[in-house]
């Protein structure tokens, strides 16, 4: 068995875990999915799933991981020996790998925008036609692939080096910087003429939308994607956690950070979308077309914009690191591979499997399902079906299979009312809710 890596400090865990949770999901995905699903009503459903359903599951994943002290599959087996319970871990490994394939493509877009912002190419092109600039970029047969490969290579370098001091230190500076810049930009965006429509879109629910089952499916998928639950990331990261750290506190911090960045992104993007007369339903390209226009319109916008895209890339990479770390840890722990071959193989295959996503707005743009291209659909299926399925299995496992005193002790919950709430939300509340949402979307 290969020697396991260690984080340098407790703070390092928290930062790395928040680094994993906060990423493109909070900015790029949150804004486009919220736009497609009608705004405020969707936001409410998303908050419900993040805070109420997500919380017990994040705690459960961390507890499984810390108890298991291994990779995503062995963690289950160490709690329930000789059972088929490795399956949720395996699904997690496979699915975080799938997320990585398309996540690398979008991260590549962000890197391209960062580079373009730094050199000034972006501003020139976007002042003429921001939408056209983006469309030409993604339609190009080769360019998105080059950026996708570049981001993956950077992520692989970090993971080969062992996810430790570098990324911890990086996160310590980058995550607060990201939050600050986002807050500043949101304020700026709110001060623009016409911003109130965007605020209303985000905060005044059209209640009738809550009658549509697809809102809940989308909200659940978004909540799970942006937290990164259901996929063994927290199990893997949790395996490096010291005993002394209280999991509920950590889970709450992750969730608060995740919500904060998402709402700031919404406050930044929707006022601008409406102020510029753009369509909130634009889909995956929303952020890439609106943001350059906001930056162009603001004083010192080119500098702020360059910093912003730089932070976006950094946030994306810290999430990619977690996605890559799951299969790498699995290969190392189960098959005794060393870190670098495990990383190189996983990264290379993720690159190849990501090619259809990278080409989905270019050569393959006519391949559609649900009126969306390949990348959107990989995202849709993984987020809305794989993540909840993984989360259901994890909830049932901890609720019913794990012996209760051990589970509660591992989760640092004491044996009071909170422990009961936690156990019963895992036994019944969360799985039933998730199952109903999934079932309704199949039979609606
Ligand atoms: N949560 C990250 C984001 O919001 C992406 C991510 C990291 C993720 N790890 C994950 C998504 C595991 C699903 C599963 O960008």
């Amino acid at each position: 068995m290969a020697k396991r890596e260690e984080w340098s400090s407790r703070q390092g865990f928290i930062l790395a875990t928040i680094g994993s949770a906060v990423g493109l999901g909070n900015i790029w995905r949150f804004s486009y999915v919220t736009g497609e699903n009608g705004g405020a009503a969707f936001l409410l459903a998303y908050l419900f799933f993040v805070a109420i359903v997500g919380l017990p599951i994040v705690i459960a994943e961390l507890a499984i991981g810390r108890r298991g002290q291994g990779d995503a599959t062995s963690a289950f087996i160490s709690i329930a020996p000789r059972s088929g319970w490795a399956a949720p871990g395996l699904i997690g490994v496979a699915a975080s790998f799938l997320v990585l394939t398309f996540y690398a493509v979008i991260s590549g877009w962000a890197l391209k925008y960062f580079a373009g912002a730094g050199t000034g190419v972006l501003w020139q092109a976007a002042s003429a036609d921001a939408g056209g600039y983006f469309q030409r970029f993604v339609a190009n047969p080769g360019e998105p692939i080059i950026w996708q490969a570049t981001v993956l290579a950077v992520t692989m370098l970090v993971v080969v080096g062992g996810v430790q001091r570098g990324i911890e230190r990086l996160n310590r500076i980058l995550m607060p910087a990201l939050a600050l810049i986002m807050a500043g930009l949101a304020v700026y965006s709110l001060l623009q003429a016409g911003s109130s429509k965007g605020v209303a879109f985000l905060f005044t629910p059209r209640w009738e939308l809550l009658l549509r089952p697809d809102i809940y499916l989308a909200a659940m998928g978004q909540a799970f994607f942006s937290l990164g639950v259901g996929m063994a990331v927290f199990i893997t990261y949790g395996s490096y956690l010291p005993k002394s750290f209280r999991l509920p506190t950590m889970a709450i911090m992750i969730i608060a950070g995740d919500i904060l960045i998402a709402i700031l992104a919404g406050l930044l993007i929707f006022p601008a979308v409406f102020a510029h007369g753009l369509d909130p339903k634009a889909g995956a390209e929303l952020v890439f077309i609106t943001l350059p226009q906001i930056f162009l319109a603001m004083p010192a916008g080119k500098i702020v914009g360059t910093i912003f895209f730089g932070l976006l890339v950094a946030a994306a990479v810290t999430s990619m690191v977690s996605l890559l770390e799951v299969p790498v840890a699995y290969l190392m722990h189960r098959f005794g591979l060393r870190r670098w071959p495990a990383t190189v193989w996983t990264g290379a295959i993720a690159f190849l499997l990501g090619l259809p996503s990278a080409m989905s707005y270019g050569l393959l743009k006519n391949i559609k399902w649900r009126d969306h291209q390949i990348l959107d659909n990989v995202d849709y299926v993984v987020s809305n079906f794989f993540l909840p399925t993984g989360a259901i299995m994890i909830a049932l496992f901890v609720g019913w299979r794990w012996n209760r005193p051990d589970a509660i002790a591992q989760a640092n919950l004491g044996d009071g009312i909170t422990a009961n709430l936690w156990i019963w939300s895992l036994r019944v509340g969360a799985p039933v809710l998730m199952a109903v949402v999934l079932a309704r979307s199949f039979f609606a």
Side-chain angles (χ1 to χ4, degrees):
M1 189 170 80
K3 187 179 174 302
R4 285 173 63 238
E5 307 281 320
E6 293 278 321
W7 297 94
S8 70
S9 71
R10 196 159 79 176
Q11 243 172 336
F13 297 128
I14 306 171
L15 290 164
T17 317
I18 292 183
S20 158
V22 172
L24 295 173
N26 304 65
I27 301 167
W28 159 76
R29 196 178 192 282
F30 173 80
S31 49
Y32 101 72
V33 178
T34 304
E36 281 182 343
N37 287 281
F42 173 85
L43 179 63
L44 281 179
Y46 157 79
L47 289 176
F48 172 81
F49 278 106
V50 176
I52 311 290
V53 184
L55 180 62
I57 296 172
V58 171
I59 298 175
E61 277 198 35
L62 291 171
I64 296 175
R66 184 165 66 179
R67 160 66 206 268
Q69 295 289 309
D71 68 278
T73 56
S74 68
F76 286 93
I77 296 172
S78 81
I79 293 172
R82 284 192 304 279
S83 67
W85 278 108
L90 261 186
I91 293 179
V93 171
S96 52
F97 183 69
L98 256 184
V99 172
L100 181 64
T101 63
F102 75 84
Y103 204 93
V105 174
I106 312 288
S107 304
W109 296 359
L111 184 60
K112 147 99 178 173
Y113 270 59
F114 176 47
T119 56
V121 178
L122 171 66
W123 310 121
Q124 252 171 16
S127 60
D129 176 11
Y133 177 68
F134 178 79
Q135 303 299 354
R136 281 193 301 279
F137 163 55
V138 291
N140 185 296
E143 231 201 309
I145 295 174
I146 294 172
W147 293 105
Q148 170 210 10
T150 311
V151 181
L152 258 174
V154 172
T155 308
M156 284 157 69
L157 273 181
V158 177
V159 173
V160 164
V163 192
Q164 30 166 298
R165 284 181 175 268
I167 202 83
E168 287 176 27
R169 229 182 272 133
L170 197 72
N171 272 311
R172 197 175 316 230
I173 302 164
L174 290 178
M175 287 301 148
L178 181 70
L180 270 180
I181 294 235
M182 298 271 303
L185 286 172
V187 170
Y188 179 84
S189 182
L190 287 172
L191 293 175
Q192 299 299 296
S195 70
S196 57
K197 264 198 200 153
V199 177
F201 180 76
L202 196 58
F203 291 128
T204 313
R206 286 165 43 211
W207 297 108
E208 71 277 10
L209 288 179
L210 290 178
L211 296 173
R212 287 178 26 195
D214 50 333
I215 288 251
Y216 297 97
L217 183 69
M220 181 166 75
Q222 172 57 24
F224 288 2
F225 185 92
S226 98
L227 283 173
V229 297
M231 295 256 131
V233 166
F234 291 134
I235 296 178
T236 305
Y237 274 26
S239 76
Y240 308 121
L241 271 168
K243 293 278 173 231
S244 58
F245 196 76
R246 295 185 46 79
L247 300 188
T249 321
M250 178 159 161
I252 288 171
M253 284 172 63
I254 297 168
I255 285 170
D258 197 61
I259 291 176
L260 176 77
I261 302 284
I263 291 191
L264 284 177
L267 281 176
L268 154 62
I269 288 149
F270 291 112
V273 166
F274 285 91
H276 289 274
L278 299 165
D279 180 7
K281 291 203 179 70
E285 62 257 48
L286 185 66
V287 161
F288 292 93
I289 297 174
T290 47
L291 285 180
Q293 302 188 38
I294 307 177
F295 293 129
L296 273 174
M298 71 190 279
K302 295 177 185 170
I303 296 172
V304 180
T306 308
I307 297 173
F308 175 85
F309 282 116
L311 289 171
L312 187 63
V313 172
V317 169
T318 56
S319 296
M320 282 178 63
V321 164
S322 77
L323 289 165
L324 183 56
E325 178 67 16
V326 174
V328 167
Y330 172 73
L331 291 176
M332 286 170 65
H333 192 248
R334 299 296 284 182
F335 300 103
L337 257 68
R338 273 173 301 156
R339 185 168 267 278
W340 73 264
T343 308
V344 171
W345 277 109
T346 316
I349 298 172
F351 169 72
L352 292 177
L353 289 183
L355 286 177
S357 289
M359 297 190 284
S360 54
Y361 304 93
L363 290 177
L364 305 180
K365 73 167 180 291
N366 292 324
I367 303 183
K368 284 191 177 189
W369 177 57
R370 299 182 314 119
D371 210 24
H372 287 270
Q373 272 92 353
I374 296 171
L375 186 149
D376 302 46
N377 281 311
V378 178
D379 178 357
Y380 178 85
V381 171
V382 175
S383 305
N384 293 0
F385 299 100
F386 282 41
L387 299 186
T389 307
I392 289 175
M393 290 194 282
I394 287 163
L396 293 177
F397 175 76
V398 173
W400 295 102
R401 182 64 185 78
W402 197 352
N403 105 23
R404 181 191 156 115
D406 192 27
I408 291 172
Q410 287 292 334
N412 311 113
L413 279 167
D415 201 6
I417 180 152
T418 22
N420 270 314
L421 271 176
W422 181 63
I423 287 284
W424 283 101
S425 62
L426 294 176
R427 284 188 175 167
V428 182
V432 167
L433 242 166
M434 292 188 273
V436 168
V437 172
L438 286 180
R440 281 203 63 174
S441 72
F442 276 119
F443 303 117

